[in-house]
């Protein structure tokens, strides 16, 4: 591993303060544009200092956690960086989950407060009641006037706070923020990242590979609560003084195109599913109608044909890479001028990759192995989960859970997951969790969930269902049943009714046979 060209953070390093200092000379430049307005770098710095003071005034202490459940908007970076500036640890969570999910996270991280978008307040209150944490401070972004009972309006507390004169003197190795990573059991894992980790992902990938610079205008379809989106729309652009466009809603092709053409987007970050939808849209703009200079794909393997179509349409490269919540961002990637569609490229400088066999020995080129990665942005641990931490974080190496092949030219090709987890539209889905939910339906005897590769080469969830004798159910009925009990994105896109699940002599489901039924 060679990071000698990148200076390491000093013994006192606060990432929020680092970003403020990097942009001290551009106070009037627009940092963010959301659905409601703009935020300059000067306003961002002032908001961060005020947010830190306001959280301390609420009684949240240094090193305590605050749950961040917000749609992408200008308040998001203020809340996230304001927490870090004060030495408080923001826990950024997925906005697409259920009250039960948030109740688990609240209890798991022992949140001392919540910062939430108005649209998500009802679900948050339900979660707080379930977690027995109804008394903690609740700060609402986009609150009504007056704010809901028992809540504080984010705008009001910022206006009333005097900004902190200096950032908390944190260590580069001190916990800076958490993200939650999905697990095969369905329980998310609190992934603890340091103040230095986003510095390293920016220097090694954002600048070193992607080449982001001050003149860029960035737009990420992946939201800020994702590790991928956090780099794309916060740590990378703010480290170089670029501008960012945010949107609260779903990035449909039409909404993406409108921002591309109206706001001069130069860097776009998405996932293969999104690129499929865009290229199929009748509103697809021509290359001469947009300002794109580069695009990025992550979350699942990018089919070669999809990347080639994108380049033919817009005349720019679409760089496929792989990262993880545990490593914070991309560590294996194609790069401008060295882009081989159908592969995930080569290791990002500063990261080492090994492919290991079942016994832990290295595999030869052309053979499938488990991908292990070593680099400076690895998380410290999974909170309160020693067993999973020891399994994933093995000394300097992190086990990714992905299977890969190294090609003779030094590139790597994805060969799927090493467990039964599915990565759909950039988010991990646990087949076990979906199967257990389907079997709660009175008509379902057994169910097995596998990945199905569609015509575009992307993975969709398919549920193979065996019905109880004398019972009937439609595919749509079962889809709605799962949606009503799990986060909506987890429902199976395909339902196939079969007479019996294929099993071994010992009763283990033969999933490979279900994958090959199409």
């Amino acid at each position: 591993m060679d990071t000698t060209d990148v200076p390491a953070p000093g013994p006192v390093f606060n990432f929020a303060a680092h970003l403020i200092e990097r942009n001290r000379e551009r106070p009037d430049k627009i940092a963010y544009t959301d659905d409601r307005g703009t935020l300059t770098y000067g306003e961002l710095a002032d908001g961060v200092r005020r947010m830190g003071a306001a959280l301390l005034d609420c009684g949240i202490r240094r090193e305590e956690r605050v749950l961040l459940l917000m749609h992408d908007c200008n308040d998001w970076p203020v809340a996230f960086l304001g927490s870090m500036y004060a030495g408080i640890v923001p826990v950024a969570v997925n906005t697409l989950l259920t009250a039960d999910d948030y109740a688990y996270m609240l209890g798991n991280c022992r949140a001392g407060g919540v910062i939430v978008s108005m649209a998500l307040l009802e679900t948050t209150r339900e979660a707080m009641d379930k977690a027995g944490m109804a008394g903690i401070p609740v700060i609402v972004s986009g609150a009504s006037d007056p704010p809901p009972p028992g809540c504080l309006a984010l705008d009001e507390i910022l206006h009333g706070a005097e900004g902190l004169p200096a950032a908390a003197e944190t260590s580069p190795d001190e916990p800076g923020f958490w993200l939650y990573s999905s697990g095969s059991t369905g329980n998310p894992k609190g992934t603890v990242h340091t103040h230095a980790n986003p510095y390293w992902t920016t220097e090694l990938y954002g600048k070193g590979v992607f080449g982001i610079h001050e003149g860029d205008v960035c737009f990420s379809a992946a939201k800020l609560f994702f590790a991928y989106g956090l780099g794309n729309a916060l740590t990378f652009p703010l480290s170089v003084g670029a501008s960012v466009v945010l949107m609260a809603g779903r990035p449909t092709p039409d909404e993406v195109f409108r921002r591309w053409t109206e706001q001069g987007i130069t860097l776009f970050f998405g996932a293969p599913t999104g690129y499929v939808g865009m290229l199929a849209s009748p509103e697809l703009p021509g290359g001469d109608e947009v300002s794109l200079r580069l695009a990025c794909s992550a979350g699942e393997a990018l089919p070669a044909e999809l990347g080639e179509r994108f380049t033919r349409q817009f005349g720019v490269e679409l760089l496929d890479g792989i990262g993880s919540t545990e490593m914070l961002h991309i560590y294996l990637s194609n790069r401008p001028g060295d882009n081989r569609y159908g592969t995930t490229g080569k290791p990002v400088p500063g990261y080492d990759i090994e492919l290991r066999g079942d016994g832990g020995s290295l595999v030869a080129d052309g053979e499938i192995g488990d991908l292990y990665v070593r680099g400076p942005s690895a998380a410290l641990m999974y909170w309160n989960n020693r067993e999973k931490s020891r399994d994933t974080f093995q000394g300097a190496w992190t086990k990714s859970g992905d299977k890969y092949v190294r090609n003779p030219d030094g590139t790597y090709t994805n060969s799927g997951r090493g467990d039964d987890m599915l990565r759909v539209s950039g988010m991990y889905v646990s087949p076990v969790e979906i199967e257990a939910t389907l079997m709660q339906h009175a008509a379902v005897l057994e169910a097995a969930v596998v990945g199905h590769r569609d015509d575009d080469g992307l993975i969709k969830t398919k549920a193979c269902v065996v019905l109880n004798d004398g019972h009937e159910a439609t595919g749509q009925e079962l889809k709605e049943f799962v949606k009503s009990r799990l986060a909506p994105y987890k429902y199976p896109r395909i339902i196939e009714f079969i007479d019996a699940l294929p099993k071994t002599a010992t009763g283990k489901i033969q999933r490979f046979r279900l994958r090959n039924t199409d």
Side-chain angles (χ1 to χ4, degrees):
M1 179 175 64
D2 182 13
T3 57
T4 56
D5 293 337
V6 179
V12 175
F13 182 79
N14 182 295
F15 185 69
H18 166 73
L19 294 182
I20 289 175
E21 179 60 27
R22 292 297 298 262
N23 295 291
R24 187 164 49 87
E25 301 301 323
R26 50 175 73 91
D28 298 325
K29 182 177 181 180
I30 292 175
Y32 284 97
T33 301
D34 69 1
D35 299 333
R36 297 187 298 171
T38 61
L39 185 73
T40 67
Y41 272 102
E43 291 168 337
L44 174 63
D46 182 62
V48 166
R49 293 187 179 101
R50 289 175 180 269
M51 189 78 230
L55 291 172
L56 294 173
D57 289 344
C58 286
I60 303 171
R61 297 171 296 181
R62 178 171 171 172
E63 298 184 7
E64 289 186 333
R65 273 75 63 191
V66 58
L67 198 79
L68 195 66
L69 178 54
M70 300 172 66
H71 291 133
D72 282 16
C73 65
N74 291 346
D75 284 343
W76 206 105
V78 171
F80 184 84
L81 294 174
S83 302
M84 294 183 72
Y85 194 81
I88 293 167
V89 181
V91 180
V93 298
N94 191 330
T95 59
L96 305 175
L97 303 179
T98 66
D100 286 338
D101 294 319
Y102 299 134
Y104 173 82
M105 293 173 180
L106 283 164
N108 180 253
C109 77
R110 304 191 190 108
V114 176
I115 310 174
V116 60
S117 291
M118 183 69 184
L120 298 168
L121 179 59
E122 183 177 348
T123 302
T124 302
R125 281 178 156 165
E126 181 183 350
M128 292 169 64
D129 287 339
K130 289 184 175 185
M133 302 177 73
I136 62 176
V138 177
I139 300 169
V140 182
S141 169
S144 55
D145 188 16
C151 298
L152 300 168
L154 189 146
D155 287 345
E156 289 185 10
I157 66 170
L158 290 185
H159 181 74
E162 291 189 14
L164 293 176
E169 293 188 352
T170 50
S171 158
D173 293 332
E174 187 171 327
F177 61 95
W178 292 18
L179 302 170
Y180 270 95
S181 177
S182 298
S184 58
T185 62
N187 288 327
K189 303 183 290 293
T191 311
V192 182
H193 279 286
T194 69
H195 275 265
N197 284 2
Y199 168 84
W200 287 115
T201 57
T202 297
E203 296 297 321
L204 299 177
Y205 178 79
K207 296 180 184 180
V209 170
F210 211 67
I212 189 170
H213 59 69
E214 181 180 2
D216 280 317
V217 181
C218 306
F219 179 42
S220 176
K223 300 299 185 181
L224 281 161
F225 60 75
F226 288 117
Y228 180 44
L230 184 65
N232 306 339
L234 193 151
T235 62
F236 296 174
L238 297 192
S239 292
V240 298
S243 297
V244 184
V245 173
L246 298 175
M247 64 174 292
R250 195 165 64 89
T252 62
D254 287 354
E255 291 297 326
V256 170
F257 298 152
R258 183 166 68 84
R259 285 163 176 80
W260 281 8
T261 56
E262 294 180 3
Q263 308 219 32
I265 303 300
T266 63
L267 298 181
F268 179 71
F269 304 83
T273 301
Y275 288 114
V276 167
M278 287 187 280
L279 290 171
S281 170
E283 304 301 321
L284 182 69
D288 59 348
E289 299 177 72
V290 302
S291 302
L292 290 177
R293 71 172 185 86
L294 200 57
C296 182
S297 179
E300 55 189 311
L302 178 77
E305 191 270 341
L306 185 58
E308 292 162 356
R309 284 170 54 200
F310 185 90
T311 295
R312 287 196 300 269
Q313 178 68 25
F314 296 109
V316 301
E317 292 179 282
L318 175 55
L319 305 183
D320 187 27
I322 184 174
S324 66
T325 304
E326 290 77 9
M327 294 303 295
L328 191 57
H329 211 275
I330 291 171
Y331 52 80
L332 178 64
S333 178
N334 284 281
R335 60 204 65 198
D338 186 17
N339 187 15
R340 182 181 166 192
Y341 287 126
T343 79
T344 318
K346 300 175 181 178
V348 171
Y351 293 90
D352 296 321
I353 299 293
E354 287 188 355
L355 300 185
R356 303 178 186 176
D358 291 340
S361 59
L362 300 183
V363 302
D365 285 3
E367 296 182 7
I368 296 175
D370 294 307
L371 189 152
Y372 286 74
V373 55
R374 177 172 63 184
S377 64
L380 292 174
M381 61 178 168
Y382 298 131
W383 181 257
N384 272 355
N385 198 332
R386 183 172 177 82
E387 180 180 359
K388 289 289 185 182
S389 294
R390 294 181 68 178
D391 182 57
T392 298
F393 306 108
Q394 300 181 9
W397 293 90
T398 299
K399 183 172 71 174
S400 73
D402 294 287
K403 297 277 190 179
Y404 263 83
V405 171
R406 187 180 186 274
N407 304 307
D409 64 356
T411 62
Y412 289 76
T413 300
N414 187 287
S415 296
R417 288 287 295 173
D419 52 25
D420 287 326
M421 293 291 286
L422 301 173
R423 207 166 191 177
V424 181
S425 299
M427 290 183 281
Y428 282 120
V429 176
S430 168
V432 174
E433 184 180 25
I434 301 172
E435 291 163 1
T437 303
L438 282 167
M439 291 175 65
Q440 294 172 21
H441 193 285
V444 176
L445 173 64
E446 287 186 298
V449 174
V450 296
H452 166 80
R453 193 173 298 278
D454 66 14
D455 293 339
D456 293 305
L458 302 179
I459 299 298
K460 299 289 187 288
T461 45
K462 179 178 78 169
C464 299
V465 175
V466 180
L467 295 177
N468 279 305
D469 290 341
H471 288 74
E472 295 183 356
T474 66
Q476 187 59 37
E477 177 185 350
L478 294 182
K479 290 178 184 179
E480 295 299 327
F481 183 81
V482 174
K483 283 184 183 180
S484 70
R485 286 160 172 76
L486 299 179
Y489 70 87
K490 296 181 180 181
Y491 82 93
R493 283 7 182 220
I494 303 166
I495 301 285
E496 179 181 330
F497 294 101
I498 59 178
D499 293 332
L501 296 179
K503 298 178 182 178
T504 66
T506 58
K508 185 176 181 180
I509 296 172
Q510 295 176 310
R511 294 179 185 273
F512 72 94
R513 294 179 59 186
L514 296 175
R515 296 186 188 103
N516 297 334
T517 58
D518 302 286

